[in-house]
């Protein structure tokens, strides 16, 4: 292949109950769904609460803070949109509010990412919308255990 | 409701690329080999469970494959279905077949699959990432199957101090077995070393190329039968002593705990139903899309202490001559991964060891063994316990 143009990265598919989440992200606000019946704050947004199946939901403004629960540094681009990004970090983030979500850890050397590392939300422009992403937090909280090398 | 059920016959194609055969042609080849190897007659097959070929292959999935097959075989099954649960499909087929046979719905059920692993370099990685990731909350982050499995590996490294070299030991051990299995894709190649694994192309930390299974094509078949049919077909059937099933999550970020991902829950059910424990097992065949799986699942299945999976593989215990052999056919890492059909390979080998027909790699002790397979991103699990005594 001698095609050097890199296609745009994929946009999230709009799924039921998630419209407000993506609209907020596009305004650079990070919100999480909250169940009025059982008070659960959960991820990912959907039309009911995964704990009690309650459908009376509202949204909380999340702190945007979390830690890296696990991650991998991707060296081989899975598809052409990522050809210019390798190596990049595919991570599971544990949010301060409890739920976990998938994201990339941006704005750092991938080799410096560790499990337990504090991160904060940032927003990546995908053209017609923005999506939540994470970056190392500007202060380093101590974790309960040292990071393995 | 009761009654002994066994795997009475197994057959598997050598994993390779078969450019002249589509999914259906692979199916026909699998059946042809099974009939020739075990001298089966149409009447020996009373039930038929098949898996759509073409899911991982990118072609249109044949969701009526069992209909086409029974018509071509000229049989009219009393029990039949096309079903799919990824790599757990065939563990679940054996489980469903056993329940049906114990209920008296059929004397025997053929469980069969064929598959073509898409070429990763030509769009296969994106196709599969779309298939196994949440389309809104995962795929837009550039998911890649090795990097999804790596989440479990990285977390295990953090929790227990497991090293990338210890994951590489799994690949080294599997290659040792494959070199004794003429049906393995890597038969006749060189042994692996930890250094070779670590020097191979980096894919997604901590995995290098040889930490990943080999994408190929193939298929296999397993005949599950009641006592009288099993004893007629096989000198030593592989009796199904216990089985367990657990469905944990769909998307990896939703797994409640990456070190309790469902494998152990299925395993405990299987041990309990068999009236046995991990200490009774003499070998394990564990689905290994990546080197991380056998290492972590040895722990989940109670076959080595929590956090000691790395030390177990580094000790050489899983290799030929070791005291607890694992993936004695080479695993998907060195035998080859046949896409939609991959979940058959470890069941076929578990049965062969118990039946005493494993050739040069036959274990001296194979009275009881455990076979574990899973589907999706370690999403749903099947554990089977096979033994020589019903
Ligand atoms: Zn609720």
């Amino acid at each position: 292949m001698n095609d050097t143009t890199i296609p745009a990265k994929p946009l999230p598919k709009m799924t039921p109950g998630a419209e407000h989440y993506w609209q907020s992200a596009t305004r650079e606000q990070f919100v999480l769904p909250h169940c009025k019946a059982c008070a659960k704050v959960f991820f990912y947004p959907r039309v009911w609460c995964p704990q009690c199946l309650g459908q009376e939901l509202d949204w909380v403004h999340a702190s945007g803070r979390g830690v890296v629960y696990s991650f991998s540094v991707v060296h081989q681009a899975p598809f052409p949109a990522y050809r210019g990004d390798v190596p990049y970090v595919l991570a599971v983030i544990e949010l301060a509010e409890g739920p976990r979500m998938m994201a990339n850890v941006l704005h750092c050397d991938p080799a410096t990412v560790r499990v337990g590392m504090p991160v904060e939300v940032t927003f990546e422009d995908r053209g017609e919308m923005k999506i939540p992403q994470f970056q190392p937090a500007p202060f380093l909280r101590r974790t309960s255990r040292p990071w393995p090398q | 409701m009761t009654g002994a059920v066994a795997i009475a016959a197994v057959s598997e194609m050598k994993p390779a690329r078969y450019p002249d055969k589509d999914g259906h042609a692979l199916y026909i080849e699998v059946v042809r080999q099974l009939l020739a190897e075990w001298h089966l007659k149409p009447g020996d097959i009373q039930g038929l469970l098949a898996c759509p070929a073409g899911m991982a292959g990118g072609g249109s999935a044949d969701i009526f494959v069992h209909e086409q097959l029974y018509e071509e075989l000229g049989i009219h099954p009393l029990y039949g279905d096309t079903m799919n649960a990824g790599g757990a499909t065939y563990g679940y087929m054996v489980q469903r077949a056993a329940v049906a046979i114990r209920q008296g719905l059929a004397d025997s059920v053929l469980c069969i699959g064929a598959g073509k692993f898409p070429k990763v370099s030509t769009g296969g990685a994106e196709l599969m990432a779309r298939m196994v990731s949440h389309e809104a909350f995962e795929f837009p982050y550039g998911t890649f199957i090795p990097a999804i499995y790596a989440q479990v590996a990285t977390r295990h490294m953090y929790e227990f101090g497991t090293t990338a070299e210890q994951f590489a030991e799994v690949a080294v051990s599997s290659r040792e077995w494959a070199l004794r299995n003429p049906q393995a894709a890597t038969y006749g190649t060189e042994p692996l070393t930890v250094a070779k694994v670590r020097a191979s192309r980096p894919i997604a930390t901590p995995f290098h190329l040889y930490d990943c299974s080999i994408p190929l094509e193939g298929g296999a078949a397993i005949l599950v039968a009641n006592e009288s049919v099993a004893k007629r077909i096989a000198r030593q059937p592989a009796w199904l002593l216990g089985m367990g099933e657990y469905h944990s999550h769909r998307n990896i970020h939703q797994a409640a705990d990456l070190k309790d991902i469902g494998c152990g829950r299925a395993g405990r059910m299987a041990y309990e139903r068999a009236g046995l424990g991990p200490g009774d097992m003499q070998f394990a065949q564990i689905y290994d899309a990546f080197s991380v799986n056998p290492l972590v699942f040895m722990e989940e299945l109670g076959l080595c202490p929590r956090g000691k999976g790395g030390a177990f593989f580094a000790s050489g215990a899983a290799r030929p001559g070791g005291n607890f052999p694992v993936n004695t056919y080479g695993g998907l890492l060195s035998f080859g991964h046949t896409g939609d059909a991959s979940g058959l390979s470890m069941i076929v080998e578990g049965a062969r060891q118990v039946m005493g027909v494993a050739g040069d790699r036959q274990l001296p002790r194979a009275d009881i063994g455990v076979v574990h397979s899973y589907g999706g991103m370690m999403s749903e699990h099947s554990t089977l316990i096979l033994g020589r005594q019903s």
Side-chain angles (χ1 to χ4, degrees):
Chain A
M1 256 196 288
N2 50 18
D3 180 13
T4 53
T5 55
I6 295 179
K9 294 198 182 86
L11 293 173
K13 183 181 169 176
M14 285 305 127
T15 51
E19 298 84 353
H20 181 73
Y21 174 84
W22 296 113
Q23 286 160 3
S24 300
T26 301
R27 294 192 302 268
E28 303 208 350
Q29 288 173 349
F30 184 54
V31 297
L32 291 171
H34 164 261
C35 175
K36 289 185 182 175
C38 76
K40 175 97 173 162
V41 174
F42 61 91
F43 193 88
Y44 45 91
R46 67 200 89 173
V47 297
W48 47 58
C49 162
Q51 183 161 279
C52 75
L53 297 186
Q55 297 185 30
E56 295 282 307
L57 307 174
D58 57 9
W59 298 86
V60 296
H61 284 272
S63 66
R65 296 206 173 273
V67 296
V68 174
Y69 176 72
S70 197
F71 72 98
S72 177
V73 181
V74 180
H75 287 275
Q76 177 179 308
F79 41 96
Y82 282 85
R83 278 203 302 250
D85 281 50
V86 286
Y88 66 92
V89 179
L90 184 75
V92 176
I93 307 297
E94 188 163 279
L95 301 172
E97 288 77 8
R100 294 192 199 120
M101 64 180 285
M102 187 172 274
N104 303 123
V105 180
L106 303 178
H107 311 142
C108 65
D109 175 358
T112 63
V113 173
R114 297 286 183 272
V115 174
M117 183 174 142
V119 289
E120 63 178 14
V121 76
T122 179
F123 296 89
E124 182 190 342
D125 199 336
R126 290 274 170 105
E128 60 196 77
M129 61 188 294
K130 294 181 182 175
I131 69 169
Q133 289 282 24
F134 286 82
Q135 63 188 9
F139 63 95
L140 289 181
R141 278 176 297 187
R142 287 199 61 85
T143 53
S144 56
R145 270 179 288 175
W147 303 328
Q149 292 307 300
Chain B
M1 279 296 288
T2 55
V5 173
I7 294 176
V10 294
S11 186
E12 180 156 27
M13 293 176 66
K14 183 174 173 125
R17 287 290 178 191
Y18 296 100
D20 56 327
K21 285 188 169 63
D22 64 7
H24 183 67
L26 288 174
Y27 255 106
I28 296 303
E29 180 59 20
V30 170
V31 175
R32 204 188 56 73
Q33 285 191 19
L34 179 83
L35 298 178
E37 211 171 311
W38 294 87
H39 311 290
L40 300 178
K41 291 175 284 300
D44 292 327
I45 303 168
Q46 286 197 350
L48 180 63
L49 294 173
C51 175
M55 299 286 292
S60 58
D62 179 5
I63 58 170
F64 303 111
V65 61
H66 73 286
E67 297 176 356
Q68 185 65 34
L69 269 179
Y70 69 63
E71 183 176 278
E72 293 205 16
L73 282 163
I75 60 173
H76 306 281
L78 307 172
Y79 179 79
D81 218 335
T82 293
M83 52 180 277
N84 187 35
T89 300
Y90 307 97
Y92 293 160
M93 279 185 187
V94 171
Q95 300 198 25
R96 308 287 184 270
V99 171
I101 290 166
R102 282 182 186 143
Q103 288 279 9
L105 303 182
D107 292 341
S108 63
V109 178
L110 181 64
C111 304
I112 186 165
K116 285 175 172 276
F117 200 118
K119 293 200 168 112
V120 174
S121 54
T122 53
E126 176 172 0
L127 173 85
M128 287 186 291
R130 281 186 185 277
M131 208 159 68
V132 303
S133 310
H134 195 289
E135 54 196 347
F137 296 102
E138 291 191 337
F139 183 68
Y141 294 104
T143 49
F144 182 34
I145 290 180
I148 292 174
Y149 278 80
Q151 306 294 321
V152 175
T154 303
R155 187 70 197 182
H156 203 269
M157 295 166 87
Y158 170 76
E159 298 230 17
F160 302 113
T162 306
T163 64
E165 286 72 21
Q166 288 174 328
F167 291 121
E169 291 278 8
V170 177
V172 172
S173 174
S174 293
R175 180 62 58 89
E176 292 293 315
W177 284 111
L179 297 178
R180 297 176 169 221
N181 180 5
Q183 289 293 102
T186 60
Y187 182 74
T189 66
E190 293 293 303
L192 279 180
T193 62
V194 169
K196 276 192 206 174
V197 177
R198 298 301 299 159
S200 65
R201 183 157 50 88
I203 304 293
T205 60
F207 302 143
H208 287 242
L209 183 65
Y210 294 145
D211 288 292
C212 311
S213 48
I214 306 170
L216 290 170
E217 302 168 10
I222 295 169
L223 187 72
V224 182
N226 68 13
E227 187 167 357
S228 65
V229 174
K231 283 181 170 168
R232 181 158 51 79
I233 293 171
R235 197 175 46 81
Q236 168 65 69
W239 301 101
L240 182 60
L241 305 182
M243 56 192 194
E245 168 170 348
Y246 188 77
H247 303 262
S248 166
H249 57 277
R250 157 75 180 162
N251 300 294
I252 193 74
H253 81 271
Q254 292 284 318
D257 183 347
L258 292 183
K259 65 181 190 307
D260 177 15
I261 205 159
C263 167
R265 291 167 190 261
R268 282 193 292 280
M269 263 180 257
Y271 293 137
E272 192 178 310
R273 288 168 181 166
L276 297 167
D280 297 311
M281 301 300 117
Q282 296 175 344
F283 67 82
Q285 314 292 347
I286 303 174
Y287 193 106
D288 56 334
F290 295 89
S291 57
V292 63
N293 300 116
L295 190 153
V296 175
F297 291 174
M298 279 293 293
E299 300 175 15
E300 283 220 24
L301 291 168
L303 299 167
C304 77
R306 182 56 84 186
K308 300 295 183 199
F312 169 79
F313 277 97
S315 77
R319 296 189 202 180
N323 62 21
F324 193 85
V326 179
N327 290 353
T328 52
Y329 65 109
L332 307 182
L333 291 174
S334 269
F335 173 78
H337 186 309
T338 56
D340 298 318
S342 58
L344 281 155
S345 305
M346 60 288 319
I347 306 173
V348 167
E349 177 67 5
R352 280 200 174 125
Q353 289 291 350
V354 168
M355 296 166 97
V357 294
D360 288 347
R361 62 187 190 282
Q362 178 63 50
L363 300 172
R365 292 168 70 243
D367 298 312
I368 303 181
V370 56
V371 178
H372 188 85
S373 56
Y374 62 83
M377 297 296 98
M378 295 154 282
S379 305
E380 47 191 348
H381 295 262
S382 165
T383 307
L384 306 176
I385 297 179
L386 303 176
R388 283 183 177 160
Q389 308 264 319
S390 62

